[in-house]
Amino acid sequence: RFYHTGYCTHPECMVERGGSLRKAAFPAMTAHITHQGGNLLFDTGYAPRFFEACRRFPEKFYALTTPVTLSQPTIRERLGDAAHDINQIFLSHLHADHIAGLKDFPDAEIILSRTAYDFVYRTDKPESLTNRIIEVKQGFLRELLPQDLPQRARFIEDMPEVRLDEAFYPFEQGYRISADLIAVALPGHAAGQYGLIAGEFFLIADAVWRFATISHN
């Protein structure tokens, strides 16, 4: 099942070569996947906690440059009682529109890339105004992550590698999350971004926003 959790606006030219400066809406989506390992969420989308994390500067710049509208209930609210069944959350990457609802699932295992994790928890990166500015420029709001993430994290790169068949060209390698889910690296947009092959679907988060981007190469 796929869910919208709101959207932000940003110039069209940011995602489409030759696009205009007009504002375009970019919905934040999440997917609820029932698979052999249980119930998994692919990202958590927006939540009111996003605005709480943007109350002060420099984080406030995030909300100013990508104005957010919560046009839909949070994924926790949409799932209702079924939210208690979520035992895994797969984070494609750590931009705020993908993790704002993460704290609503305090008992779920969190699956993410080690590269994304190291971006946050590098021992040589103390919390400072300079580093906070760098994080905001890279689309990250530290306040959205639960404090116990280090204890709940499970790294994609530690999972069994799998060779993809020609149907997935040009992607050649993935990591087996479970018998029926495969994570695939999608570098370029954010540190440690991964997509997820789930049956007939390839969930790619922000690797591409419009089909025209693919068809025009």
Side-chain angles (χ1 to χ4, degrees):
R1 291 179 176 269
F2 294 92
Y3 299 92
H4 285 260
T5 60
Y7 63 92
C8 72
T9 57
H10 211 49
E12 178 188 63
C13 60
M14 296 298 295
V15 296
E16 185 171 319
R17 183 176 296 171
S20 70
L21 290 173
R22 70 180 181 182
K23 296 292 185 180
F26 300 98
M29 297 184 67
T30 182
H32 175 202
I33 303 171
T34 301
H35 68 110
Q36 294 186 17
N39 284 273
L40 177 144
L41 279 184
F42 179 89
D43 291 335
T44 63
Y46 281 124
R49 200 172 289 108
F50 171 83
F51 300 110
E52 298 172 15
C54 293
R55 286 173 298 186
R56 58 176 183 164
F57 286 97
E59 288 80 9
K60 195 169 186 177
F61 282 118
Y62 196 124
L64 292 174
T65 55
T66 58
V68 171
T69 299
L70 298 183
S71 58
Q72 302 286 341
T74 67
I75 184 59
R76 174 66 179 82
E77 294 168 332
R78 297 286 293 276
L79 289 174
D81 291 341
H84 300 295
D85 298 328
I86 300 297
N87 63 321
Q88 294 176 318
I89 295 177
F90 183 100
L91 297 180
S92 62
H93 59 296
L94 299 184
H95 284 172
D97 53 325
H98 297 260
I99 67 171
L102 190 55
K103 289 184 178 180
D104 291 331
F105 300 89
D107 301 319
E109 176 183 66
I110 299 171
I111 302 172
L112 76 165
S113 81
R114 188 180 296 276
T115 301
Y117 180 92
D118 288 345
F119 168 76
V120 179
Y121 292 102
R122 268 180 22 212
T123 56
D124 64 337
K125 194 177 80 171
E127 183 173 353
S128 66
L129 179 60
T130 299
N131 283 328
R132 285 169 55 203
I133 292 173
I134 292 172
E135 289 180 349
V136 169
K137 287 178 66 177
Q138 297 191 24
F140 173 63
L141 298 174
R142 181 178 294 271
E143 189 177 324
L144 297 177
L145 291 177
Q147 291 186 344
D148 63 348
L149 188 146
Q151 289 74 47
R152 295 162 59 191
R154 182 181 172 204
F155 299 122
I156 294 169
E157 295 89 341
D158 293 341
M159 300 179 189
E161 293 186 25
V162 57
R163 189 79 176 175
L164 302 178
D165 63 37
E166 293 182 358
F168 294 101
Y169 178 84
F171 303 100
E172 298 179 347
Q173 176 188 309
Y175 294 89
R176 191 169 294 285
I177 306 300
S178 68
D180 47 356
L181 297 177
I182 298 173
V184 178
L186 299 174
H189 174 70
Q193 176 167 323
Y194 272 79
L196 190 65
I197 296 172
E200 64 185 291
F201 297 100
F202 187 11
L203 308 180
I204 60 173
D206 296 332
V208 65
W209 266 100
R210 296 182 174 176
F211 283 113
T213 308
I214 300 174
S215 60
H216 295 164
N217 200 26

